[in-house]
């Protein structure tokens, strides 16, 4: 099968998803991409650029795969026959109906509506988590109610019928079943799982997300400074894409600089090495529809500390009774304090095995089956 992958914003989890699927699919996937900048212009103007590329370079592809920064309706309207009849799968990494606004932005109805009409134009829509799918579908009635008249009917039901869920894949082979024991409660038994902490130098806390507003790095920095004031012993890995937001972690660098083991973006090999050194991965996200950075860390054996109001409760913990979720900054500090002082929340759990479902070796065949189903093969 010849699949054209169209990615208007080829960076971060979008790029990781495209590269992983392309490398592991049993079908021929050819990519057309644009750099990860000017996201608003991508949503408004990427469709004609991709339509021209496909008309000239892939007139006979069997299936189109696009992500949420592309206006799929515009694309289909601009493609010549028979290319405009090719099945189109839309993958939703995020959506503009429920994504939080940055402090510098004003609400723009256009971008959320672009997501809606793209979903209507696609033959199938796939979300990266059931949490994301439900959030999007539930937001549709109120969002469409902003229209003054001629409101289309039955949109939620129509999109629910054509949508499904497949997570973002992560690199690395799956774990053997016996690699991690289930959490048994109480204090950890050193013979049940990986050492705690992994290094005798003390616990290593990991941040491996973008350093932007929707990940709330300022909450993370505030919580760690409070723990340091209590005299807690820990070291830090401050990884991820700074995106010119280095100042958010300036308080940590100024006051805890000697504890910081790594800073900023890393090469893939070095990044994997650092994940294997960390004990605890923390997310403070105000928006997380899946969380590939957390999935990578959990699969590497990190104990996750996660906000309860995001996708995480639906992704982790079905077989684990450990304490992983918090509600606010006070809850974050309390949970981290318990972990750092060896209280009974424990580190030995089955979450790395839960994250195995996200490994491309397990996930790519599910995408391939969907591709074939869409073509009736």
């Amino acid at each position: 099968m010849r699949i054209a992958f169209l990615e208007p914003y080829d960076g971060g989890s979008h790029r990781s998803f495209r590269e992983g699927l392309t490398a592991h699919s049993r079908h021929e996937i050819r990519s057309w991409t644009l750099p990860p900048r000017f996201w608003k212009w991508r949503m408004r103007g990427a469709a004609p650029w991709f339509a021209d590329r496909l008309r000239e370079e892939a007139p006979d592809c069997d299936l189109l795969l696009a992500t949420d920064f592309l206006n799929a309706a515009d694309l289909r309207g601009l493609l010549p026959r028979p290319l405009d009849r090719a099945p189109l799968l839309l993958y939703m990494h995020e959506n503009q109906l429920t994504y939080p606004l940055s402090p510098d932005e004003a609400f723009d109805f256009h971008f959320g509506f672009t997501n809606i009409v793209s979903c209507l134009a696609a033959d199938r829509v796939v979300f990266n988590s059931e949490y994301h799918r439900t959030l999007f579908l539930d937001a549709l009635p109120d969002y469409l109610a902003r229209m003054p008249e001629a409101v289309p009917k039955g949109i939620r039901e129509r999109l629910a019928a054509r949508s499904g869920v497949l997570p973002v894949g992560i690199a690395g082979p799956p774990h053997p079943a016996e690699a991690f024991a289930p959490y048994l409660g109480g204090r950890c038994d050193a013979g049940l799982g990986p050492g705690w902490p992994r290094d005798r130098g003390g616990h290593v806390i990991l941040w491996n997300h973008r350093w932007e507003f929707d990940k709330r790095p300022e909450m993370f920095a505030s919580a760690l400074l409070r723990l340091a004031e209590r005299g807690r012993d820990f070291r830090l890995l401050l990884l991820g894409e700074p995106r010119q937001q280095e100042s958010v972690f300036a308080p940590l660098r100024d006051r805890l600089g000697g504890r910081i083991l790594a800073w900023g973006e890393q090469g893939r090999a070095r990044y994997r090495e650092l994940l294997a050194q960390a004990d605890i991965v923390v997310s403070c996200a105000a928006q997380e529809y899946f969380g590939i950075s957390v999935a990578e860390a959990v699969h590497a054996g990190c104990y996750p500390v996660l906000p309860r109001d995001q996708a995480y409760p639906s992704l982790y913990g079905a077989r684990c009774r450990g304490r992983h979720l918090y509600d606010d900054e006070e809850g974050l500090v309390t949970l981290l304090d318990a972990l750092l002082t060896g209280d009974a929340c424990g580190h030995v759990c089955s979450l790395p095995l839960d994250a195995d479902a996200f490994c491309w070796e397990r996930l790519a065949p599910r995408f391939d089956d969907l591709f074939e189903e869409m073509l009736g093969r």
Side-chain angles (χ1 to χ4, degrees), residues 252-273:
L252 292 179
R253 184 172 52 191
D254 294 342
R255 297 175 59 183
L256 305 177
R259 304 190 190 197
I260 299 174
L261 305 178
W263 175 278
E265 287 188 90
Q266 310 289 326
R268 289 303 301 178
R270 178 58 177 161
Y271 175 70
R272 288 191 290 269
E273 291 175 2

Side-chain angles (χ1 to χ4, degrees), residues 17-311:
F17 172 77
R18 179 185 61 80
E19 291 179 340
L21 181 58
T22 300
H24 290 85
S25 173
R26 59 179 175 258
H27 298 294
E28 177 188 337
I29 300 180
R30 186 179 175 190
S31 298
W32 285 262
T33 68
L34 287 168
R37 53 181 180 257
F38 312 127
W39 72 267
K40 293 180 179 181
W41 280 109
R42 297 294 187 246
M43 293 193 76
R44 289 187 170 113
W49 191 89
F50 282 120
D52 288 344
R53 302 288 83 70
L54 292 176
R55 182 186 300 109
E56 298 167 4
E57 302 167 22
D60 56 352
C61 71
D62 299 308
L63 184 143
L64 305 175
L65 170 57
T67 62
D68 51 276
F69 279 122
L70 183 66
N71 188 323
D74 284 357
L75 178 76
R76 287 203 120 153
L78 293 166
L79 289 172
R81 292 187 178 183
L83 196 55
D84 63 335
R85 308 292 180 87
L88 192 155
L89 172 63
L90 182 68
Y91 191 82
M92 298 292 289
H93 286 279
E94 53 269 310
N95 76 83
Q96 300 305 314
L97 281 69
T98 63
Y99 200 98
L101 288 174
S102 79
D104 302 323
E105 288 185 309
F107 175 79
D108 189 328
F109 181 83
H110 172 83
F111 298 111
F113 202 78
T114 297
N115 283 158
I116 294 171
V117 297
S118 291
C119 290
L120 290 170
D123 296 281
R124 293 292 294 273
V125 182
V126 174
F127 292 85
N128 49 7
S129 69
E130 182 57 42
Y131 167 86
H132 185 192
R133 176 179 178 272
T134 301
L135 195 69
F136 179 82
L137 293 175
D138 288 350
L140 287 170
D142 287 343
Y143 200 86
L144 291 170
R146 297 168 182 262
M147 298 178 65
E149 60 182 2
V151 182
K153 304 298 182 183
I155 298 297
R156 189 190 190 284
E157 293 72 23
R158 289 155 64 183
L159 296 187
R162 72 181 66 179
S163 64
V165 174
L166 285 171
V168 179
I170 59 176
H175 292 298
E178 68 278 5
F180 294 89
Y183 173 66
L184 302 177
R187 292 188 179 275
C188 298
D189 183 331
L192 290 179
W196 184 249
R198 297 197 206 195
D199 187 277
R200 292 182 180 178
H203 290 285
V204 177
I205 299 176
L206 169 69
W207 170 281
N208 61 334
H209 322 283
R210 287 182 287 106
W211 299 14
E212 292 184 293
F213 77 99
D214 59 308
K215 305 303 181 183
R216 292 191 293 197
E218 69 286 344
M219 177 193 281
F220 178 75
S222 174
L224 293 194
L225 290 173
R226 290 172 63 183
L227 291 168
E229 289 172 358
R230 296 181 185 183
R232 303 306 180 222
D233 182 26
F234 59 87
R235 292 175 296 164
L236 291 172
L237 293 169
L238 297 178
L239 311 182
E241 301 176 48
R243 298 195 179 185
Q244 301 179 335
Q245 303 295 321
E246 289 87 348
S247 61
V248 297
F249 286 145
L252 292 179
R253 184 172 52 191
D254 294 342
R255 297 175 59 183
L256 305 177
R259 304 190 190 197
I260 299 174
L261 305 178
W263 175 278
E265 287 188 90
Q266 310 289 326
R268 289 303 301 178
R270 178 58 177 161
Y271 175 70
R272 288 191 290 269
E273 291 175 2
L274 292 171
L275 291 188
Q277 296 176 22
D279 301 298
I280 303 165
V281 61
V282 178
S283 170
C284 297
Q287 170 281 125
E288 200 66 271
Y289 302 131
F290 175 75
I292 188 171
S293 58
V294 168
E296 291 170 337
V298 169
H299 192 256
C302 293
Y303 189 98
V305 173
L306 309 168
R308 192 186 308 274
D309 61 349
Q310 301 301 318

